[in-house]
Amino acid sequence: MRRLSCFLLITVVQLSTMFCFGQRKTIDQRVDSVLKLMTLEEKVGQLNQYNGDWAYTGPITKDGDKQAQIRNGQLGSMLNVITVEHTRQLQEMAMQSRLKIPLLFGQDIIHGFRTIFPIPLAEAASWDLALMERSARIAAIEASAAGVHWTFAPMVDIARDPRWGRVMEGAGEDPYLGSLIAAARVKGFQGRGLGNTDALMACAKHFAAYGAAVGGRDYNSVDMSERQLWETYLPPFKAAAEAGVATFMNSFNDLNGIPATSNKLLQRDILKGQWKFKGFVVSDWGSVGEMVNHGNVKDNYEAALAALTGGSDMDMESRSYRDHLAKLVREGKVKISLIDDAVRRILKKKFEMGLFEDPYRFCNKERQDSQWNNAAHLRESRSMAAKTIVLLKNQGQVLPLPKQGKTIALIGPFVKAVRDNLGFWSYQWPDDSTRIVSLWQGVQNKLGSADKMLYAKGCEIRDTSRSGFAEAVEVASRADIVVMNVGEAHDMSGEAKSRSNIHLPGAQEELIKAIQATGKPVVVLINAGRPLVFNWTADNVPAILYTWWLGTEAGNAIADVLFGDYNPSAKLPMSFPRTEGQIPIYYNHYNSGRPAKTDSDLNYVSAYIDLPNSPKFPFGFGLSYTQFEYGDISLSKTSLRSTDKLVARVTVRNSGSFSGEETVQLYIRDMVGSVIRPVKELKGFKKITLKPGESRVIEFTISVNDLRFYNEKLANDWEPGEFEIMIGGNSRDVKKMKINWAR
Ligand code: BGC
């Protein structure tokens, strides 16, 4: 009898959520129908997210019987649960709860799921928005086939501090490029829209300003002006919101003394207020409870109160909502309308994902199997990876290497590495060792055999022993060319992976010196999740490729570039410092009252007495096997009025002997502003392909919208006056012209 009445209740619930007087309801009406049936405890249940047992991406909370809590409707979402079998099992438990509200399964799908793509920072170096949208699309296809509903990506934090390990997850230092990339990634993950079974809900994180953690130390405080926040750190979040991102995640840091997790200004005023964001906000892992450590609340009871009222809808892992929210409502400290708003936002997404119709629609075993080894995705990963490799130096045209007739020594701790090619935020699969293409394998695939390949490891990644140097030098001496693969291990950049010393680790640069001393032509490949410091190498070795962490097809992609089947085209999305003392370093800085005229100017100017101001490699920099020559800028006008459009043209010529791609970059400087303007700001770029000898006129159309900034009142407006228009192949080497723009 109890069973029957339970069955009847569920049927009534289902029908009443779907129909209103026989007519199909809108999602909002359906959300309201469910909400009306919910007890306070069930509402609070929707606001909790727990970790599953497949992976841990934060400190482990060991508590209670999770399965019983799912059956009791005390959970709205889980993270780190994958495969259709496992998600189905847990979803079945949720279907045993009184109201049968389906669970959402979230996961960090940061740069691929089964097919791993280059890390996001590397992808940003391609400046290829279609590429980034596509890699997010493939990640969504594969992850959604394995039962995942929601990715905690894209990470859109602007980062000017390479000590911060999480720079690898973002798009670098520039708000303009970062905003375009944020939108592209959201579109990629969400595909044709929520409700399609190959679309993941995306999540713009970490809201906000997490990239500015003091000292580049993860989880640290952030102190910045509101103008800086609006000008530099918020634009990619705004772009993600405008692209329709389903969710936001807040961040571990405090912003000017208020934890982001309880920050009303960020979450209620800006995000849900000014930007009219209709999705929901999830906390970061445990960040609700961590407000106690911040010293902003006394205990988890106060933390729950502060976070919910501050605009955090879902509590990831801290249990503060579970343990205290219902009590807070009963005591009149939290208004039920705030709880209802949070629950509504979450239920709405569950409806949009189609989970109320069919909670198992992401649990299709055949689909999972078909996406498990997708050869087409691997091919795409390979070609994308090649497009992210940055050629930093190619003195004497050492590269590309010949495919025949030469003996090549491959030396360094990464030559035969497998796992290290994937980088942080990639999951381990049982067949990784046979699936991930090492550099050695990639070169062998290219050459058809290992007959003319020699190998020595030379040293380990981190330790300082030189015991392998002699063998490496001996191997190098038998070769015609040496390719060295050095860098950071996969777990040296990423969450909780800040480094105070960002030089090449261990004895690796010493090994490079020893090999360079043999007199053989040396090519250095640097695998890393951040800009590293490698001055000796940069100054002495003829050829350097920055090979990041490139994913499953790393070895093949590097071989494509090494042997000229792909002519490198990527451009740095972050400035590379000469040493840690220059950090934070970014191209779009203010001029100061005493700017240095040159790198050696020390005449009471803003400079270091022991270091030039300029970076080792500037933002936007990257070479090609061919050369591009830029003509002078020609402008349609030099005096404009507010409704005018300015057309800036430049002729770019491929003066080398390879066909190649160039990213032509437009920067603008507002010479006088009521609020100081940066020395240059990226305002546009165009990717072009030119054959040897070919030239093309590249055109940028500029309007006053491109001149806007946040003024003294934080209004986004432009001011008339003089502007400098700059066009070039990187942020340093630009052609310039001045114009005047009147109201
Ligand atoms: C990270 C987030 C991540 C979450 C879940 C946190 O520690 O900061 O970026 O999405 O864990 O794995």
Side-chain angles (χ1 to χ4, degrees):
M1 188 59 197
R2 258 194 80 197
R3 270 216 178 142
L4 184 64
S5 60
C6 189
F7 171 79
L8 284 176
L9 172 72
I10 285 160
T11 312
V12 172
V13 169
Q14 280 177 332
L15 289 176
S16 72
T17 64
M18 290 179 76
F19 298 101
C20 177
F21 305 117
Q23 296 216 317
R24 218 179 159 77
K25 288 179 174 178
T26 64
I27 285 186
D28 284 333
Q29 288 170 326
R30 298 177 75 190
V31 167
D32 279 338
S33 316
V34 178
L35 201 68
K36 272 189 208 134
L37 301 167
M38 295 173 84
T39 62
L40 175 58
E41 280 68 23
E42 283 164 338
K43 288 178 182 176
V44 170
Q46 286 305 303
L47 311 185
N48 298 314
Q49 183 185 54
Y50 291 2
N51 197 64
D53 51 14
W54 183 59
Y56 283 93
T57 45
I60 302 171
T61 317
K62 282 220 158 55
D63 68 347
D65 178 352
K66 285 183 192 167
Q67 301 193 355
Q69 295 180 57
I70 298 174
R71 289 193 181 93
N72 289 338
Q74 288 173 289
L75 220 59
S77 172
M78 296 196 81
L79 74 151
N80 289 329
V81 178
I82 61 149
T83 75
V84 300
E85 295 81 0
H86 199 177
T87 51
R88 177 181 284 276
Q89 194 189 14
L90 295 169
Q91 201 66 291
E92 278 170 357
M93 291 174 200
M95 290 305 110
Q96 291 163 33
S97 66
R98 191 180 77 95
L99 293 177
K100 291 181 153 201
I101 298 176
L103 290 169
L104 276 174
F105 295 106
Q107 189 74 38
D108 293 283
I109 312 293
I110 309 292
H111 52 115
F113 178 66
R114 174 75 173 144
T115 307
I116 301 300
F117 293 93
I119 54 166
L121 185 64
E123 285 193 354
S126 73
W127 295 49
D128 184 337
L129 302 174
L131 175 156
M132 287 175 258
E133 182 175 335
R134 180 68 192 148
S135 98
R137 184 84 292 276
I138 293 174
I141 291 170
E142 292 185 358
S144 63
V148 177
H149 303 146
W150 175 20
T151 175
F152 304 127
M155 190 275 230
V156 304
D157 295 309
I158 294 296
R160 294 165 159 185
D161 190 334
R163 292 171 300 181
W164 191 48
R166 304 200 74 169
V167 299
M168 54 108 3
E169 292 171 55
E173 76 189 36
D174 185 64
Y176 174 84
L177 183 61
S179 299
L180 294 173
I181 292 175
R185 290 196 163 128
V186 168
K187 282 186 208 142
F189 286 128
Q190 298 190 172
R192 290 168 298 149
L194 306 190
N196 292 291
T197 46
D198 66 357
L200 292 180
M201 298 201 304
C203 180
K205 72 185 187 186
H206 306 83
F207 197 58
Y210 186 34
V214 171
R217 214 178 65 211
D218 212 0
Y219 314 115
N220 208 1
S221 287
V222 173
D223 193 273
M224 72 166 61
S225 69
E226 245 190 282
R227 173 163 310 99
Q228 195 57 253
L229 181 70
W230 278 98
E231 190 163 302
T232 307
Y233 291 85
L234 290 185
F237 287 101
K238 189 160 186 280
E242 283 165 4
V245 72
T247 66
F248 265 59
M249 182 186 291
N250 54 39
S251 49
F252 290 120
N253 57 284
D254 70 271
L255 178 63
N256 305 331
I258 313 285
T261 305
S262 64
N263 202 302
K264 281 193 190 132
L265 170 74
L266 287 173
Q267 303 185 127
R268 294 234 176 258
D269 300 350
I270 298 175
L271 180 61
K272 295 177 180 176
Q274 289 184 45
W275 297 351
K276 300 186 171 47
F277 175 66
K278 297 284 180 271
F280 68 88
V281 180
V282 63
S283 79
D284 205 345
W285 179 299
S287 70
V288 177
E290 287 170 18
M291 289 195 294
V292 177
N293 294 342
H294 279 284
N296 187 240
V297 292
K298 194 171 68 206
D299 50 24
N300 281 38
Y301 170 88
E302 287 191 1
L305 171 64
L308 200 276
T309 47
S312 292
D313 300 307
M314 186 180 274
D315 172 1
M316 180 193 289
E317 268 294 305
S318 97
R319 313 289 190 267
S320 309
Y321 282 10
R322 181 196 69 182
D323 294 343
H324 304 288
L325 268 187
K327 187 161 179 266
L328 281 160
V329 173
R330 286 200 187 94
E331 290 172 353
K333 297 205 168 118
V334 168
K335 285 195 210 132
I336 188 69
S337 59
L338 282 187
I339 303 276
D340 285 351
D341 176 62
V343 177
R344 257 197 201 97
R345 288 168 181 271
I346 293 163
L347 292 182
K348 191 165 178 187
K349 292 298 160 211
K350 294 186 175 182
F351 272 111
E352 285 173 12
M353 293 292 284
L355 294 172
F356 273 94
E357 263 99 9
D358 177 5
Y360 308 110
R361 60 199 301 259
F362 289 77
C363 300
N364 179 330
K365 174 93 173 74
E366 265 169 44
R367 188 158 82 95
Q368 174 171 272
D369 292 346
S370 74
Q371 292 304 337
W372 193 240
N373 281 317
N374 188 322
H377 291 174
L378 285 173
R379 281 195 296 277
E380 289 194 64
S381 169
R382 173 177 181 164
S383 80
M384 288 182 197
K387 290 180 181 170
T388 70
I389 297 173
V390 188
L391 178 64
L392 293 177
K393 193 173 175 189
N394 194 18
Q395 211 172 31
Q397 298 277 300
V398 173
L399 290 170
L401 302 180
K403 285 183 195 154
Q404 275 160 2
K406 301 280 182 199
T407 299
I408 302 175
L410 293 150
I411 295 176
F414 291 90
V415 172
K416 294 199 173 175
V418 171
R419 176 82 191 128
D420 282 315
N421 288 328
L422 302 193
F424 206 86
W425 290 120
S426 49
Y427 299 104
Q428 238 156 330
W429 306 114
D431 56 353
D432 271 357
S433 60
T434 54
R435 225 171 146 257
I436 301 166
V437 185
S438 67
L439 174 67
W440 179 265
Q441 187 61 50
V443 173
Q444 187 179 332
N445 293 346
K446 186 65 73 186
L447 301 183
S449 88
D451 291 353
K452 289 196 154 286
M453 293 164 62
L454 305 174
Y455 170 68
K457 192 171 193 183
C459 65
E460 298 299 328
I461 297 170
R462 292 172 165 94
D463 83 40
T464 49
S465 164
R466 295 161 172 244
S467 58
F469 280 27
E471 185 206 358
V473 167
E474 189 276 323
V475 165
S477 68
R478 284 191 280 129
D480 300 306
I481 302 158
V482 185
V483 174
M484 299 191 67
N485 199 183
V486 297
E488 288 184 314
H490 74 277
D491 58 357
M492 293 180 77
S493 281
E495 183 175 350
K497 303 290 180 247
S498 295
R499 291 177 62 196
S500 64
N501 171 345
I502 59 166
H503 283 61
L504 272 173
Q508 296 185 72
E509 198 155 44
E510 293 306 309
L511 178 66
I512 297 172
K513 288 181 191 170
I515 301 297
Q516 172 78 0
T518 63
K520 301 286 175 178
V522 177
V523 177
V524 170
L525 312 176
I526 303 177
N527 295 14
R530 55 155 66 84
L532 290 179
V533 171
F534 45 92
N535 293 322
W536 191 92
T537 303
D539 295 341
N540 294 283
V541 166
I544 303 169
L545 287 165
Y546 216 71
T547 40
W548 310 104
W549 289 328
L550 295 175
T552 320
E553 286 286 316
N556 284 332
I558 295 173
D560 288 341
V561 170
L562 273 179
F563 295 94
D565 288 335
Y566 182 76
N567 181 359
S569 64
K571 304 272 190 179
L572 299 175
M574 281 185 86
S575 307
F576 274 43
R578 292 170 189 273
T579 190
E580 294 83 359
Q582 288 183 311
I583 298 170
I585 184 164
Y586 46 97
Y587 82 93
N588 47 356
H589 57 83
Y590 295 154
N591 203 32
S592 88
R594 292 191 182 188
K597 287 190 190 67
T598 62
D599 262 351
S600 51
D601 183 5
L602 288 177
N603 189 20
Y604 288 96
V605 292
S606 176
Y608 300 105
I609 58 168
D610 56 356
L611 196 67
N613 279 356
S614 65
K616 190 74 184 167
F617 297 103
F619 174 82
F621 178 82
L623 302 171
S624 162
Y625 293 155
T626 197
Q627 286 79 45
F628 296 104
E629 278 173 10
Y630 281 71
D632 288 333
I633 300 177
S634 85
L635 298 173
S636 57
K637 292 179 179 180
T638 49
S639 282
L640 297 101
R641 306 202 68 81
S642 62
T643 50
D644 286 348
K645 293 241 183 331
L646 170 68
V647 181
R649 295 187 180 86
V650 80
T651 302
V652 183
R653 194 174 97 84
N654 180 345
S655 58
S657 47
F658 295 83
S659 182
E661 289 158 68
E662 171 69 331
T663 303
V664 184
Q665 301 158 38
L666 166 75
Y667 297 87
I668 300 182
R669 176 173 181 185
D670 186 341
M671 300 306 293
V672 179
S674 58
V675 166
I676 296 165
R677 309 306 309 132
V679 294
K680 56 183 69 137
E681 293 175 277
L682 183 71
K683 293 290 180 177
F685 60 89
K686 293 211 166 143
K687 283 185 77 87
I688 54 166
T689 305
L690 295 178
K691 296 197 190 74
E694 190 182 348
S695 41
R696 190 165 316 151
V697 178
I698 307 304
E699 231 178 66
F700 291 98
T701 304
I702 303 159
S703 77
V704 293
N705 281 332
D706 299 305
L707 312 178
R708 287 176 179 278
F709 63 94
Y710 290 95
N711 64 21
E712 230 181 323
K713 293 183 180 134
L714 287 181
N716 192 240
D717 204 356
W718 71 286
E719 292 171 358
E722 196 180 23
F723 297 86
E724 190 160 44
I725 307 295
M726 292 164 267
I727 301 179
N730 65 68
S731 63
R732 180 191 59 201
D733 306 311
V734 288
K735 301 280 181 174
K736 302 177 178 181
M737 266 192 94
K738 288 216 174 129
I739 54 153
N740 232 289
W741 219 311
R743 269 237 186 258

